[in-house]
Amino acid sequence: MAKLDDIESRLQGLLEVQLLKYLPGYRSEDGIIQRLAVALHSNLKQQEEMTLAPNVYVVVAHPSTLTRWRVEPRLLEGLSTALFTVGSESGYVFLGKPTVTTAADVSMSTEEVRILSSYSSTNVADTKGIPSSHKTVPSPEIIPSNAFLIIHGTQVVPLNKVVINIGRRLDNQVVIDDPRVSRLHAQLRVVKGRFVLFDLNSSGGSFVNGQRITQSVLYPGDVISLAGVNLIFGQDLPTGRSSEDGTRPSTFSADRPTAILKKDEFEG
């Protein structure tokens, strides 16, 4: 298995020129390349004779910092390609080409950058199989690409199924171990190419951007509260937000893959 120093050195060679070219204000001492290497290396998983590498990466930074990252769209694609190249050279297996998206955290300083990594096609640590009582009917729905939840501000959970159950019970796809959350609290379902959140008659209720809902179409930056436990929905959307579903407008732009994390949103 390749050492972290080797991965960092190879990434340095692939990305230094690109970062200097496409990321205004970039300095080698910012440690972005080191953080990318750690994000790849720290989340490796051994499966039989293969070493799997994460293929979902989220760059978390202050909104003003991410403005610089969006100056050149080829930057995130370049990060994705470099991660794939370095991982493949190291003998790791990706379950799909790495994707890199962004999420803004207003509590971070403008000098900070945090990179989270996870998997898009395998169960992550807190996911289980679909409960037998909630099996899905085969659906022609296309799962939106690059959609994810951020839980507790540190864990990114890719959304890669047509139906995803959320709750305290261990056989949910997303398990939230908090007494405020019902055993089977809510469900994410793909409807006409969008993720829709459904409350499953939970005791504490489900809220989107502060409003209680029984069902709601989700858009990037939406803050989901399950009986007081907050999650952030993020997703790449190729088109702007439509109001034909009857939901109220979001305060976030839908044409960029950015979720806004506010200070203290994830506390108790």
Side-chain angles (χ1 to χ4, degrees), residues 127-138:
T127 63
K128 304 291 182 180
I130 298 176
S132 58
S133 59
H134 293 275
K135 289 181 179 178
T136 61
V137 175

Side-chain angles (χ1 to χ4, degrees), residues 24-46:
Y26 169 75
R27 303 164 300 174
S28 59
E29 58 266 29
D30 289 342
I32 293 170
I33 292 174
Q34 180 184 19
R35 290 183 179 89
L36 278 168
V38 170
L40 186 155
H41 191 267
S42 64
N43 209 8
L44 296 173
K45 294 187 178 186
Q46 197 65 35

Side-chain angles (χ1 to χ4, degrees), residues 50-163:
M50 298 185 298
T51 300
L52 300 179
N55 59 338
V56 174
Y57 296 82
V58 181
V59 179
V60 185
H62 189 274
S64 62
T65 301
L66 290 181
T67 298
R68 301 199 306 269
W69 281 69
R70 299 190 196 102
V71 169
E72 174 52 64
R74 286 175 289 184
L75 174 60
L76 293 183
E77 178 61 29
L79 297 181
S80 169
T81 300
L83 287 164
F84 180 78
T85 299
V86 171
S88 298
E89 289 177 350
S90 301
Y92 305 144
V93 176
F94 293 93
L95 298 174
K97 185 179 179 182
T99 60
V100 182
T101 54
T102 60
D105 184 345
V106 297
S107 70
M108 296 175 66
S109 75
T110 55
E111 302 299 319
E112 292 179 273
V113 175
R114 184 168 74 246
I115 298 177
L116 310 177
S117 62
S118 190
Y119 293 79
S120 67
S121 299
T122 59
N123 291 341
V124 293
D126 291 333
T127 63
K128 304 291 182 180
I130 298 176
S132 58
S133 59
H134 293 275
K135 289 181 179 178
T136 61
V137 175
S139 169
E141 292 285 2
I142 298 176
I143 300 173
S145 62
N146 297 336
F148 56 90
L149 291 176
I150 295 179
I151 303 176
H152 302 308
T154 58
Q155 180 187 5
V156 55
V157 178
L159 304 177
N160 49 32
K161 297 181 183 297
V162 173
V163 175

